Structure formats: structure tokens, C-alpha cells
Amino acid sequence: TSLFSIRNDGRVDIPVGPVNIGNNLYLDNNEIWAQNSNNLNVKAAGDVKIQPNDGATTAATFKSDGNVGIGNTNPSDFHTSARNLVVGDGVGSQGITIYAQNNAGSNLYLADGTAGDQAYRGYISYSHSAEKLSLGAGGQTRITATNAGLVGIGTLTPDTLLHLEASDPVLKIRDSSTSDNTATLWLQ
């Protein structure tokens, strides 16, 4: 029995496995897996693409420069400040879902280090149990929105539609469209 055969068109046929390659790598039923908790390293001279069998679409692209595209093949074409991970193909609606347990949290952290609050200097966080969305800056929650539609700035527990809290709170309204900077605040 042969381990593989090479066709005239250059394709390699591997019979139904498992096929052991070098004691630690196996090919079996459309899977490649490493034995004994070894890492599976994929190396290529160029990009690595994950495609369905028909090859008509690309599910994910790992560019040689380290950028990753999910649903696209060109993540490196996007703005240099935000192309490490690009999701979507630009056709129709696109999205990312963070799926968490109903009594836990879903988080997106913006880090500038790994120690202390450097790991979450900025963040968007949602508490599923409290049904509360928090927006953080400087490692602290600055804005909180509740499931009742209450918004707090400077407080974690807003109790009115808009709750501003600080040691010396100021609400500034400025009209930049006129030379005298007059503005109007309507309270009804």
C-alpha cells in the first residue's frame, strides 16, 4: 500500500487515513492534527489561505506580513493602524459576535502593555448579568449605559436618563457655527 500518489496534474492523493507523517503529524478524514500536544506549525513561502473544497471562496487568509483576513484575502490593503485583523468581504452587512455566558461578560480591550491596567487602558465591556454596557478610558469606566436606557458619565449607577457626576460637574454647550458662540438649551 502506498502512502500517497502524485497525479499527472501535480495533485497529491493521500488514501483514507490515518497517515502518520514523522511520528507526530497525522492526516485522517480531512483533518490534519498533531499528536502529544505538539504545536501544528503551518509554514509557507507566501500567504496561507483556508478555503472550502471548491476553492471558489476563501474563509481566512493569513498574510506573510502577519495580517489576518476573515472572509477576505486582502487585509494588508486596509489602513496601517487597523489591519491586523480584518473581518468581512465588503458585501452586505458584516459583523463580529462575542458570545458569552448569560451571567458573565463580553469585552473588547485596547491595551498598551500587559501589566496592571495597561492591559485594558481603553475598553468596551458588557455585563450580561447586570445588562450594562461600559465604555472605559484611562483604565476606568467613564460612560455606563443600562438596559433601561439610562446613561451615566462619571457614575457606574445612573439613575436618570442622563446622569452626570463629578466633584465639580460642568455641562458645556457651545455653538461653533456663530462668531459670538451663543447656544440654546431647551428644557421642556
Side-chain angles (χ1 to χ4, degrees):
T1 309
S2 62
L3 291 178
F4 65 90
S5 60
I6 300 174
R7 295 184 187 184
N8 290 339
D9 63 5
R11 288 192 279 176
V12 176
D13 285 334
I14 299 174
V16 175
V19 174
N20 181 350
I21 301 172
N23 295 327
N24 290 318
L25 182 66
Y26 289 86
L27 302 175
D28 187 15
N29 296 324
N30 297 321
E31 294 180 357
I32 301 174
W33 49 280
Q35 180 179 313
N36 299 326
S37 300
N38 292 319
N39 292 330
L40 177 61
N41 297 315
V42 177
K43 294 182 180 181
D47 302 337
V48 174
K49 295 181 180 181
I50 298 175
Q51 298 177 313
N53 192 34
D54 64 4
T57 60
T58 299
T61 302
F62 299 84
K63 300 293 282 182
S64 59
D65 60 9
N67 297 325
V68 177
I70 298 177
N72 64 75
T73 59
N74 61 336
S76 297
D77 292 349
F78 289 82
H79 192 278
T80 58
S81 295
R83 66 180 178 197
N84 299 102
L85 175 62
V86 178
V87 177
D89 61 5
V91 178
S93 298
Q94 308 289 319
I96 298 173
T97 297
I98 300 174
Y99 182 33
Q101 189 172 326
N102 66 359
N103 62 353
S106 295
N107 304 286
L108 175 62
Y109 288 171
L110 310 170
D112 57 18
T114 59
D117 69 5
Q118 290 176 340
Y120 56 90
R121 293 300 292 164
Y123 57 85
I124 300 170
S125 182
Y126 186 77
S127 168
H128 294 274
S129 58
E131 294 188 333
K132 188 185 298 186
L133 180 69
S134 300
L135 180 62
Q140 297 180 34
T141 299
R142 303 298 182 179
I143 300 173
T144 301
T146 71
N147 63 340
L150 308 179
V151 175
I153 299 174
T155 179
L156 301 177
T157 55
D159 57 11
T160 60
L161 191 58
L162 178 59
H163 181 156
L164 307 175
E165 189 170 312
S167 60
D168 189 17
V170 175
L171 177 62
K172 183 175 185 176
I173 300 173
R174 181 174 180 227
D175 182 356
S176 63
S177 65
T178 64
S179 59
D180 61 1
N181 291 328
T182 59
T184 304
L185 174 63
W186 290 84
L187 302 173
Q188 293 183 336

